[in-house]
Amino acid sequence: MKHFFLLFFFFTLSLQAQFQVNGIVKDALTKKTLPFATISTNEGTNTVSDVDGKFSITAQKEITALRISYVGYLQKTIPIQDNKSYYSVFLIQKTDELHEVLVSNKNPALEIIKKTIENKRKNNPLEKLSSFEFKSYNKLIVTANPDSINGSIDSVFTTIPFGKKFKKIDSTDYKFKQLIKKQHLFQTEKVSQYQYNDNRIKETILGTRMAGFKQPVYEVLSFSLQSFSIYDSKYELFETKYNSPIAKNALEDYNYKLLDTVAINGRKTYMVYFKNKKKKKAAGLEGVLYIDQNNYAIAKAIMRIKGLLDISGIHEFQYIPGEDLWFPTQKKFKIVKGVNDDDIKILGGTIQFDGDIEEDLKPRKRVESDYIYLLSHTNNFDFQYNTPVKIKKPVVAIEIKDDAINRPDSFWNEYRKDSLDSRSQKTYISLDSISIQRRVENRLNLGRKILSGYLPLQIWDFDLRKIISYNNYEGMRLGIGGITNDKFSRKYRLEGYTAYGLRDEAFKYNLGIGTRVDKFSNTWIGVSYTDDLREIASTDYAIEKRAFKIYDPRSINFSTFYRYENWRIAVESKIIPKMESVLVFANTFVEPKFDYTYNLNGTLFQKYTLTTATISLKWNPYSDYMQTPTGRIETDKRFPKFTFQLSQSIPNVLNNDFSFTKVDFKAEYQIKYLDGQRTFLLFEAGRAFGDLPLPQLYSASPNNLNKETVLQRITFAGKNSFETMYFNEFFSSEFMSFQFKHGFNRIFLFKKIKPAIDFVTRMAWGNMKNPENHIGIEYKTLNKGFFESGIELNQIYNGLGIGGYYRYGPNHLSKFEDNLAIKLTFILDLGI
C-alpha cells in the first residue's frame, strides 16, 4: 500500500538553484560516449560521467573551468562560458600504450575484485566493528531542472480537410518552468540515529518534516532506496535486489575494467568499472567501485540501473586510520526518466516516458513529468565506534519518536548540513498552503481508509464490506457496520454490524468491545458476540483480517452455509518480533443450513456446540517493521510468509459436543524479476484429528458452478481458488494444495489493449477419515489428487480480462466440456 501515498502527491499537489553545468563526454574519433570519465572543477568538486557519458556537476562557487580525464585519453580542460550550461567534450586517445597499474599478467581489474571479495569481512563495518552509532540528516526532493525545460508558449492546431485550424494556446511548459524556478514539487527531511550491536541495526527517527503534511506519511519514510551496506551479497536499489559486484559469485555475473587510479582521503584507490555480462532485456546493475590499494576496501561506489527508469546510487566513505576502515559518510540516490513507451510508476506516481514505439505512431509531446526527477541525499555524522550501545526496542527496524513531527526550527538548523535555499523554503510554504486549501491530508487519510475497506465519518469508520453483497442462499444482503477510530479513543474501541438477507429473510449481527493494554506491541483484549452465516468447509485464520474487495467472486456463487452463534474472547498482539499473534477462546453454536447430519457413535447431530481455544500466528521473517506514534506497520513486505493455526476443543466446558484438534498451515512466496515478470507460490495444508463435523473441515476453495454448459458456468475467477472444481464436489478431513502462478510481461496488441499473460497451475490431495459419519451430502475425496492448469489474459481493458482453465489427471471427467472453465478476471490497479 505504501506506493499509493506518493501516487496521491502527484495527483493532488500542484507542479513546481544551485549553479549547474551539464554535458557529455565522447571519443573525438569514433564519437562514442565515454562512461565514467572523471570531471573536476576549479574549486575541487568532482564527479564522473554516467554509463552514457553524460554528466552534471554543481558547485557553491562559480565554476570557471572543467577538467576532464579518462584512462587512455589525453586530459582536457575547457573554460566555462557565460550563459552556456551544456558542453560536449571530445577526448583524444593517447598514441602511446595505455599506462595501467598492473597487478598481474591477467586482467588487472579481475585480480583487484578477487582481493576485494577476499577481504570483505575485515573491511565490512558490520563485521569488523562490534558496535557503532551515528546520526544522519536526509533530504528527499521531487523536482526538475528549470534549464532543461523549454518554457515556450505553443500554438495548438487541429488537422482539417484543407489544412490546419488553430485550436488553442498551450502555455503548460511556460507555467511549469516558472513554477519550478521557485520551488520543488515535493520535499521531506528527517534526522535519524543509527545504532548497531549484536548483528542488529536500528534506525530511530528523531525528527521528520514533510511538505504539505502536519503528520508525515510514515510509509514514505521507510522506502528502501539503496542498501545500507555496500558489502551485502545482494545490493538493493529502489526496493529491488541485485547480485552485488563483490558477492562471492560476482565474477559469474559481471565484467570488470580498470579505468584509473585516484586519491580519496589521501589514499590511492583503483577505479574499477563493472557491468552485468548477461545479455538480458532486463536492466542490469553497473557502475564504478573505488577500491583502496592497500586494504582493498570500498572507498566509494557508484551503482546504476538504466532501463525503464534511470536509477543511480552513490556511496561515499571516510577512512578511519585507527580502525583501518572505510566508514559510510554519504549516500545519494536519484531517479530520472528512462526509455519506454508506457507510463512508469515512481514510488506510486505515474510519470510518462518516451521510448520504443512503433514507427507509424507519432511520439507524443514531452510533458511536465518527463522533466521530473527524485533526489535523496543523506549525510552521516557524530560517529562512535566500538563503544557500548544499547538498542531499545530492537524488534522493529525503524522507530519514529513521538515528538519527531513537532521539532522546532532550532532542531533543524542544528542538524542540516546547509541552510535551506530559497526554493526549499518556498516549497514548505507553498505546499503547506496548498495542502490546507485542498484538504490534501484529509483526502489522503480518506484514501487510506477506503483502500482498507472503510469510510470514516467523525468517530466511526463504516465498513464498506457490510453494505451490500450477494450469495445464492441469502440473495441480496444489505447491511451496515463498522468500528470506532482514533477520534473516539486510541485505547478503547467498539465495533459491530447488522445485515439482512432478502431471500432468507433473516437478520445477522455482531457486537464487540476491546481495549488496548500495551501500545508498543499493539496488544488488545476484546469480547464479541456474532450471529451470522459462514461458507461450509472454509478455513478461517483468526490472524487474518478479511481483505476489502470491490467484488468477491466466490461468495456470489455460495449456496451451502451454516449459521453460527459465537461468543469470543480474543487477545491479539505483535509482541513477538516479526510475528502477529491472536489467542481466541470461543463458544460456538452451529446449525447447518443444508441437508446434513453428523453421526458420532450412533448419536445424530443436526446442530451442535463447539468450545475451542485457538492460537493463530502469522510470521514474516524477512519483512521489516516501523514503530510510529500511531502503531506498528509492516514497511517492507518480503517473502516467504507463514501462517499457522492450532484449534483445540475444550471438553466438558459450555456444552461442547466434540473432542478434536485442528491444525492449519499456509506458506506464500513471491518473486519479482528485473524484467517485470513475477512468480507466486502458495502451499496450504490442514488436518483435523478426532471428531469434527463436515462444516468445519476442508473443501480446497472450489469456484465452479454446477451447471451443464461452459457458457452457463462463466463467472469471475477467484484469487486462489480451483476454477474447474465444482462447489461441494470434494471434502477432506486432511488435505494439502500447491499453486503456481507466473506472470509474463504485458504484450502490445493495440494502443490501449496490452494484456498481461499469467500461467496458472494448481493441485490438491486429500482424504476423509470416517466418511460414514457424514450423512445427507454426496461428495468425493481427493485421495488420487486434483490437477488443473490455465492461462489468464488479465487487464485487457480497464482491468477486465479472461481466463481459461482445464482439469486433468485422476479426477478428469468423461465429458470434455465438464473439465473446461472460462472465467472473467478483474484486477484493479491502484499502484499499491
Side-chain angles (χ1 to χ4, degrees):
M1 181 179 288
K2 62 184 179 181
H3 287 174
F4 163 75
F5 302 119
L6 275 182
L7 169 65
F8 193 85
F9 299 153
F10 281 98
F11 283 104
T12 55
L13 298 179
S14 291
L15 291 178
Q16 347 251 304
Q18 288 178 313
F19 183 76
Q20 183 173 315
V21 176
N22 305 312
I24 189 168
V25 184
K26 297 182 178 182
D27 183 297
L29 181 62
T30 66
K31 302 300 187 289
K32 290 184 178 180
T33 58
L34 300 177
F36 303 109
T38 301
I39 297 96
S40 305
T41 68
N42 52 288
E43 66 160 9
T45 304
N46 61 76
T47 187
V48 294
S49 62
D50 62 21
V51 293
D52 300 313
K54 297 177 182 179
F55 67 87
S56 178
I57 191 166
T58 59
Q60 300 297 327
K61 299 179 182 179
E62 183 179 1
I63 301 175
T64 59
L66 291 180
R67 185 172 63 254
I68 300 92
S69 61
Y70 194 76
V71 63
Y73 288 77
L74 297 174
Q75 181 175 291
K76 187 172 186 178
T77 300
I78 58 172
I80 299 301
Q81 305 173 24
D82 294 337
N83 301 321
K84 183 178 180 180
S85 59
Y86 190 87
Y87 296 83
S88 294
V89 182
F90 296 92
L91 299 183
I92 301 173
Q93 277 191 314
K94 294 179 181 179
T95 56
D96 57 340
E97 292 185 1
L98 175 65
H99 176 71
E100 290 183 337
V101 179
L102 295 180
V103 181
S104 73
N105 294 327
K106 302 178 182 180
N107 179 353
L110 284 179
E111 297 304 307
I112 294 169
I113 291 297
K114 288 178 181 178
K115 291 189 177 182
T116 303
I117 295 172
E118 290 173 4
N119 288 276
K120 278 174 61 175
R121 289 183 62 87
K122 73 175 187 179
N123 290 321
N124 185 356
L126 295 176
E127 297 195 47
K128 185 168 185 177
L129 299 176
S130 60
S131 65
F132 61 77
E133 61 181 319
F134 62 88
K135 292 185 176 69
S136 74
Y137 167 77
N138 171 265
K139 181 180 178 182
L140 182 149
I141 60 174
V142 177
T143 189
N145 180 9
D147 294 335
S148 65
I149 305 169
N150 185 295
S152 62
I153 299 177
D154 299 325
S155 297
V156 180
F157 295 87
T158 56
T159 302
I160 59 177
F162 302 101
K164 294 182 178 181
K165 180 181 178 182
F166 174 79
K167 184 178 181 181
K168 64 178 180 178
I169 295 292
D170 184 0
S171 60
T172 305
D173 280 359
Y174 174 79
K175 292 179 180 178
F176 180 61
K177 183 168 184 175
Q178 297 306 309
L179 181 63
I180 210 69
K181 282 181 177 179
K182 298 177 183 179
Q183 66 181 81
H184 304 300
L185 307 181
F186 175 70
Q187 177 174 283
T188 183
E189 298 176 277
K190 70 173 179 178
V191 175
S192 301
Q193 180 185 40
Y194 285 85
Q195 295 176 298
Y196 173 77
N197 195 7
D198 295 330
N199 296 316
R200 186 189 301 272
I201 189 165
K202 179 183 177 182
E203 177 188 4
T204 303
I205 298 177
L206 307 176
T208 179
R209 186 179 181 186
M210 188 173 291
F213 294 88
K214 292 182 180 179
Q215 177 177 299
V217 181
Y218 296 124
E219 289 82 354
V220 174
L221 302 178
S222 69
F223 284 134
S224 182
L225 300 179
Q226 59 193 124
S227 287
F228 175 84
S229 174
I230 199 69
Y231 292 98
D232 291 342
S233 59
K234 296 291 184 181
Y235 179 79
E236 188 167 8
L237 197 61
F238 193 41
E239 301 194 320
T240 301
K241 290 190 173 183
Y242 307 86
N243 198 34
S244 168
I246 55 172
K248 288 184 178 180
N249 62 342
L251 273 63
E252 300 174 8
D253 292 338
Y254 294 96
N255 290 319
Y256 301 89
K257 179 182 178 182
L258 179 61
L259 295 181
D260 207 344
T261 59
V262 296
I264 300 179
N265 287 181
R267 292 175 67 87
K268 291 183 178 181
T269 66
Y270 300 116
M271 187 177 175
V272 177
Y273 168 64
F274 66 89
K275 184 175 183 178
N276 195 297
K277 65 170 67 171
K278 298 179 180 178
K279 295 181 179 180
K280 296 180 179 179
K281 291 184 179 180
L285 189 66
E286 61 182 309
V288 174
L289 300 176
Y290 295 77
I291 301 172
D292 190 304
Q293 292 188 16
N294 293 326
N295 61 9
Y296 291 91
I298 304 297
K300 183 178 179 179
I302 301 173
M303 307 294 208
R304 188 181 181 197
I305 290 293
K306 184 175 182 183
L308 305 182
L309 300 174
D310 190 346
I311 308 171
S312 61
I314 299 176
H315 299 254
E316 297 190 25
F317 301 79
Q318 180 180 5
Y319 182 69
I320 309 169
E323 301 289 345
D324 188 28
L325 182 72
W326 290 86
F327 197 85
T329 56
Q330 285 192 64
K331 287 198 302 184
K332 294 180 182 178
F333 175 88
K334 187 175 183 179
I335 301 179
V336 298
K337 81 177 192 69
V339 179
N340 188 53
D341 62 332
D342 282 330
D343 291 350
I344 301 299
K345 297 176 182 178
I346 293 182
L347 297 181
T350 301
I351 298 181
Q352 292 179 315
F353 297 147
D354 281 329
D356 302 326
I357 57 178
E358 296 184 0
E359 293 181 0
D360 59 336
L361 297 179
K362 184 179 179 181
R364 62 169 175 78
K365 179 186 174 182
R366 286 167 63 87
V367 296
E368 292 95 326
S369 58
D370 286 325
Y371 304 104
I372 294 173
Y373 63 85
L374 180 148
L375 178 65
S376 173
H377 192 178
T378 302
N379 286 287
N380 303 332
F381 53 92
D382 288 354
F383 303 99
Q384 295 185 44
Y385 314 104
N386 292 327
T387 58
V389 172
K390 184 178 181 181
I391 301 178
K392 298 180 180 179
K393 303 174 182 176
V395 297
V396 290
I398 306 173
E399 180 182 3
I400 303 177
K401 305 296 287 185
D402 288 347
D403 57 353
I405 64 175
N406 299 313
R407 294 296 189 179
D409 289 341
S410 58
F411 172 88
W412 294 107
N413 293 334
E414 177 184 356
Y415 288 113
R416 286 182 184 127
K417 183 178 180 181
D418 300 305
S419 58
L420 292 182
D421 58 22
S422 60
R423 287 179 75 192
S424 294
Q425 293 176 15
K426 291 178 180 178
T427 301
Y428 280 125
I429 296 171
S430 175
L431 296 189
D432 287 349
S433 175
I434 291 173
S435 178
I436 293 172
Q437 292 174 9
R438 301 188 179 183
R439 302 176 69 242
V440 171
E441 199 160 3
N442 290 337
R443 290 165 63 191
L444 176 60
N445 291 331
L446 174 63
R448 280 170 139 176
K449 291 284 188 178
I450 289 177
L451 286 175
S452 299
Y454 292 94
L455 178 65
L457 184 64
Q458 298 301 321
I459 65 172
W460 187 260
D461 290 348
F462 286 93
D463 192 337
L464 299 176
R465 295 164 293 195
K466 304 298 182 183
I467 297 175
I468 186 170
S469 61
Y470 179 87
N471 61 68
N472 286 330
Y473 180 81
E474 295 176 280
M476 192 69 69
R477 172 173 166 142
L478 304 177
I480 188 171
I483 187 171
T484 55
N485 54 40
D486 288 349
K487 291 183 179 180
F488 172 78
S489 173
R490 292 189 176 183
K491 189 173 182 181
Y492 302 100
R493 68 185 181 200
L494 300 173
E495 58 185 326
Y497 66 84
T498 184
Y500 182 77
L502 299 184
R503 182 178 295 172
D504 70 338
E505 299 181 343
F507 281 98
K508 297 86 183 174
Y509 45 88
N510 161 271
L511 182 64
I513 185 172
T515 181
R516 188 174 69 183
V517 296
D518 184 70
K519 178 181 177 182
F520 179 76
S521 62
N522 198 32
T523 300
W524 288 80
I525 297 178
V527 179
S528 66
Y529 173 78
T530 304
D531 186 341
D532 205 340
L533 298 174
R534 181 170 293 161
E535 175 196 5
I536 66 169
S538 59
T539 301
D540 180 30
Y541 287 97
I543 192 62
E544 292 185 339
K545 304 293 189 294
R546 184 184 170 194
F548 170 59
K549 301 176 182 178
I550 293 179
Y551 74 101
D552 189 350
R554 290 191 67 252
S555 66
I556 293 174
N557 304 316
F558 292 161
S559 58
T560 46
F561 290 83
Y562 63 89
R563 173 177 168 261
Y564 68 99
E565 292 182 50
N566 173 271
W567 284 97
R568 182 177 187 266
I569 300 175
V571 180
E572 56 184 88
S573 179
K574 297 179 180 178
I575 194 169
I576 304 173
K578 301 193 176 186
M579 182 178 289
E580 301 173 52
S581 58
V582 174
L583 177 62
V584 179
F585 295 94
N587 179 258
T588 307
F589 170 76
V590 177
E591 180 185 6
K593 291 296 183 179
F594 59 100
D595 182 16
Y596 176 74
T597 302
Y598 184 61
N599 180 7
L600 179 61
N601 300 324
T603 303
L604 303 180
F605 292 88
Q606 293 182 324
K607 303 175 184 179
Y608 49 89
T609 300
L610 306 175
T611 302
T612 57
T614 300
I615 180 71
S616 187
L617 307 172
K618 189 167 187 176
W619 183 40
N620 307 318
Y622 298 103
S623 293
D624 287 330
Y625 291 83
M626 171 189 282
Q627 188 75 26
T628 75
T630 58
R632 189 180 306 178
I633 56 178
E634 186 181 2
T635 57
D636 193 355
K637 297 181 180 181
R638 297 178 181 175
F639 292 87
K641 295 175 176 289
F642 303 99
T643 308
F644 172 82
Q645 184 164 285
L646 173 65
S647 298
Q648 176 64 53
S649 64
I650 305 176
N652 305 318
V653 175
L654 299 176
N655 300 316
N656 177 58
D657 287 317
F658 307 117
S659 176
F660 65 90
T661 301
K662 189 179 180 185
V663 181
D664 297 294
F665 175 78
K666 178 168 64 175
E668 302 167 84
Y669 192 72
Q670 183 173 301
I671 306 170
K672 292 184 178 180
Y673 302 95
L674 301 183
D675 60 359
Q677 298 187 57
R678 61 214 175 276
T679 299
F680 176 75
L681 306 173
L682 174 65
F683 174 80
E684 290 187 272
R687 185 172 183 180
F689 303 86
D691 306 315
L692 196 59
L694 185 142
Q696 277 66 48
L697 297 179
Y698 305 102
S699 65
S701 192
N703 192 36
N704 204 11
L705 296 175
N706 296 290
K707 295 185 178 181
E708 290 188 8
T709 68
V710 174
L711 294 180
Q712 288 177 320
R713 295 196 298 269
I714 292 179
T715 182
F716 280 96
K719 183 179 180 182
N720 296 313
S721 55
F722 283 79
E723 304 300 337
T724 62
M725 184 184 293
Y726 294 91
F727 284 101
N728 301 332
E729 183 180 6
F730 297 95
F731 290 101
S732 307
S733 59
E734 53 189 16
F735 94 106
M736 65 178 179
S737 68
F738 176 76
Q739 301 191 30
F740 168 88
K741 187 172 187 176
H742 183 80
F744 298 91
N745 289 325
R746 301 185 73 169
I747 58 174
F748 182 91
L749 297 180
F750 302 101
K751 186 174 181 180
K752 292 187 178 181
I753 299 180
K754 292 176 284 187
I757 301 178
D758 286 7
F759 172 76
V760 183
T761 224
R762 301 183 177 100
M763 56 197 74
W765 297 267
N767 183 42
M768 176 66 81
K769 298 289 187 181
N770 304 317
E772 67 278 2
N773 291 353
H774 307 285
I775 304 171
I777 185 171
E778 294 185 4
Y779 63 90
K780 296 184 288 186
T781 63
L782 292 168
N783 301 66
K784 296 181 180 180
F786 184 94
F787 303 88
E788 73 173 24
S789 295
I791 294 178
E792 297 175 350
L793 297 178
N794 295 313
Q795 296 176 290
I796 296 176
Y797 185 75
N798 288 341
L800 283 170
I802 191 168
Y805 312 86
Y806 190 74
R807 166 177 175 165
Y808 55 92
N811 279 290
H812 179 270
L813 302 174
S814 58
K815 290 185 179 180
F816 171 80
E817 59 269 24
D818 291 343
N819 299 290
L820 183 65
I822 298 175
K823 301 294 177 71
L824 300 176
T825 66
F826 181 74
I827 297 176
L828 180 63
D829 188 359
L830 294 172
I832 58 178

